[in-house]
Structure formats: structure tokens, C-alpha cells
Amino acid sequence: MSAFLRFSQWIQKTFAVWVMLFAAIAMWMPEAFIWLKAYIAIMLGIIMFGMGMTMTFADFKSVLNRPKAVFIGVVAQFVVMPGLAYALCKLFQLPAEIAIGVILVGCCPGGTASNVITYMAKGNTALSVACTSVSTLLAPLLTPFIFYILASHWIEIDAGSMFVSILQVVLIPIVLGLFIRTLFKHKIERYVQVMPLLSVVAIVAIVAAIIGASKAAILESGLLILAVVVLHNGLGYLLGFWASRIFKLDYPDCKAVAIEVGMQNSGLGVALAAVHFTASPVTAVPSAIFSLWHNISGPALASYWAGKADKLARAEQLIQNKKVESDQVNISEP
């Protein structure tokens, strides 16, 4: 079992590589992955069920312990990213089918990958988990509502149908996973350890399915969509961080909120686009590219912050050692 866990951890650490590899294969041989598109909602449900199984009710204690930080993180999530998406669509004058996809991923809650990236960045992981949990639970209401307000400019939106979809593929699987974990506790511990690997496989399959189904649209508009996604993601990190600084959160909290805001549940965006905009496959492409890109930018940002934290810790340790040496010299003097 230990060998399997090491393999699972290795797959998770190299997640971005697998996403890029299978995205490239899907562009080369789209017919090998297009059939997976019919199972996107099911795969997302598996991912959300796995998320629920890795959660406990204790995770929500952070909401009570740090209500201000969680409130700022969740509000920033549902204000910054949708607002940025709308502004970028207007700035680049995106075609309607692409604009809808950009706004859709902007209206999604934070992704579970943000928790791992926050840990890597030496941020407040408990705060990240709390923000992800709360934003995901609010998603059935807020995602369709905000999307309707922003995207109805381009197309008629059925917010009620989208609400039902999010309940089915997000909230219900999470709640089921959470209750199963609570009821059976240690009996399913070994199965819980498998869920992250299943999630990685499912996300890679989702991205490959959308890339394969949208090859022609990507060849035509891929660079434009990539530019918008990179700006959306990067500005999300930046504005999430500075929103936290303005409200005087601790530095580890600021890192957690920045990552939480910048990294979206892009799998949900893909699933919603696949279900509600079947006539326009390119609508799912911004979410698919976002999934690819934020799994590159997130680890890069985490490495920068972790290196900065290690450098600061070494400097503080050096100062402490010099202080101890100075005290010892003073004691030894007659």
C-alpha cells in the first residue's frame, strides 16, 4: 500500500505535466478522447465525492475561528473573478461563445487544488480549506445568479437549470462523501487515500475530452483564449492578495486568499458548459485551458512564496544565533 501511496503522491505532484501531456495528445488524436465528453458530469461528481470524503466537520471550525478571513476570501472569490472575467471579455471584445465560457469559469467557486498549493506556499492551509468549502457550498446559488447577471448580455441563461446541475454534480456528491467519511471514519481511511489519484485522472480526462472536442476552435482562437486565461488567473492572484492586505490579514492568510481567488474549480466550468452549451463546444475551452494553466502558475507561485518564507526563516535563525552568541560572550566576561 505504501508503494501505491508514493505513486499517488508522485502523480499529484506532477499533475500539471499529465494535464499538458494529455492535452497535447488530444490535439493530435482528438477521436481518442471525444467520447469521454458524455461522461464529464459523472467524472466531476466523482471528483466532488472525493473532496467530500477528504473533508470533516472539523474543517468548518476555521469558519468560526477566523470568520473575517473566510468572509474576505469567499467575497473576493465571487466578486473579483467574475468581475475580471467580464472586464476582460469587454476589453478583448471576445466572441459571444468564448465570452460566455470565460465568465462561466470566473463564476465558479475555488478549486480543491488551491488547498495543496496554499500548503506548498506555506500559507494558511486551514483558511484555504474553509474558503473552498464555503464557496463550494454557496456555488449552487451564487454561480448561476452571478453568471445570469453578467452573461445574459450575450445569451439567454437558464439559471434554474444551472442551479440543479450544480446541486447534482457538486453539492450532493460532496455532502454524500462528507457523511460517509463521518459515519465510517477509520474504516474507509485507506479508500480516502485513493481519492486524490482518482481526481487527478478524472480532471486529466475532462481536459482531454474538451480539448479533443474543440480542436478546430482551439486552432482558431486558442492563443486569444490563453492570453485571457493567463490575465484572468494572474490578476486573480494579485487582487485576492491585495484585498487581504487592505483588510489587514496576516501574511499567511493573504497567500491563502490570493491562491483561493486565483484558482477556480474549472472542472465545474467544463461540466456546466458541456451540459448547457452543447451547441457551442468552444464555450468549454476557457475552463479547460484554465485547468491547464492554473496548475502551472499555482505551483510556480507556491515555489516563489515558499522560497521567500525559507529565506526569511534562515535570516531570523541567523539573527537568533548571533543573539545567543552575544549573550554567551557577555556572560563569560568577568
Side-chain angles (χ1 to χ4, degrees):
M1 188 67 178
S2 59
F4 176 80
L5 289 178
R6 287 196 297 271
F7 172 73
S8 176
Q9 291 169 356
W10 177 72
I11 291 292
Q12 292 174 60
K13 288 179 182 178
T14 56
F15 178 40
V17 174
W18 297 110
V19 173
M20 288 188 290
L21 174 62
F22 278 86
I25 296 174
M27 285 292 289
W28 178 40
M29 298 187 300
E31 65 281 354
F33 299 96
I34 290 176
W35 63 274
L36 287 170
K37 191 177 176 183
Y39 302 96
I40 286 176
I42 296 174
M43 289 188 286
L44 181 63
I46 292 171
I47 294 169
M48 294 297 103
F49 179 74
M51 176 183 174
M53 286 187 68
T54 59
M55 293 166 60
T56 65
F57 285 103
D59 292 334
F60 294 93
K61 289 182 179 178
S62 294
V63 180
L64 301 176
N65 295 336
R66 305 293 299 274
K68 176 184 174 182
V70 174
F71 179 78
I72 292 169
V74 173
V75 170
Q77 175 70 58
F78 286 112
V79 171
V80 170
M81 293 307 277
L84 277 174
Y86 184 81
L88 289 169
C89 290
K90 287 293 187 180
L91 178 64
F92 285 89
Q93 298 182 339
L94 297 180
E97 62 272 17
I98 297 177
I100 293 166
V102 172
I103 292 175
L104 182 58
V105 72
C107 294
C108 288
T112 55
S114 63
N115 307 149
V116 178
I117 299 302
T118 299
Y119 174 78
M120 291 170 55
K122 300 185 185 298
N124 188 336
T125 307
L127 173 59
S128 177
V129 171
C131 287
T132 300
S133 303
V134 173
S135 67
T136 301
L137 293 177
L138 291 175
L141 290 174
L142 293 184
T143 295
F145 175 71
I146 299 171
F147 182 65
Y148 175 81
I149 291 174
L150 298 179
S152 56
H153 170 76
W154 282 277
I155 193 173
E156 184 177 346
I157 305 298
D158 187 349
S161 178
M162 191 170 288
F163 167 78
V164 173
S165 295
I166 299 175
L167 281 181
Q168 291 174 338
V169 301
V170 176
L171 195 58
I172 292 175
I174 284 178
V175 172
L176 283 175
L178 178 59
F179 274 101
I180 288 174
R181 172 73 181 272
T182 303
L183 289 174
F184 294 99
K185 296 181 180 177
H186 301 296
K187 293 180 181 178
I188 62 167
E189 195 65 38
R190 65 177 63 185
Y191 301 106
V192 171
Q193 296 172 343
V194 177
M195 296 312 295
L197 177 60
L198 290 179
S199 296
V200 169
V201 173
I203 292 173
V204 170
I206 288 172
V207 172
I210 293 302
I211 295 294
S214 309
K215 178 179 177 179
I218 292 172
L219 291 175
E220 181 180 348
S221 307
L223 290 178
L224 175 61
I225 297 174
L226 177 62
V228 172
V229 164
V230 170
L231 284 172
H232 195 190
N233 174 238
L235 290 172
Y237 291 140
L238 182 64
L239 295 181
F241 181 83
W242 282 107
S244 307
R245 296 290 280 179
I246 289 171
F247 288 99
K248 303 185 185 306
L249 295 186
D250 296 337
Y251 195 61
D253 292 357
C254 291
K255 290 192 283 188
V257 172
I259 293 168
E260 189 66 27
V261 172
M263 299 188 72
Q264 299 293 86
N265 186 345
S266 49
L268 175 59
V270 169
L272 292 175
V275 171
H276 295 279
F277 303 102
T278 53
S280 179
V282 74
T283 299
V285 173
S287 293
I289 293 180
F290 202 108
S291 181
L292 172 64
W293 175 251
H294 80 180
N295 283 295
I296 298 172
S297 66
L301 180 60
S303 297
Y304 166 75
W305 265 330
K308 188 176 179 181
D310 289 340
K311 185 177 180 180
L312 180 62
R314 287 195 296 270
E316 290 177 348
Q317 184 62 47
L318 183 61
I319 292 172
Q320 184 65 29
N321 291 342
K322 287 184 177 180
K323 182 179 179 181
V324 170
E325 292 174 1
S326 177
D327 290 343
Q328 290 176 342
V329 169
N330 291 336
I331 292 172
S332 63
E333 288 179 354

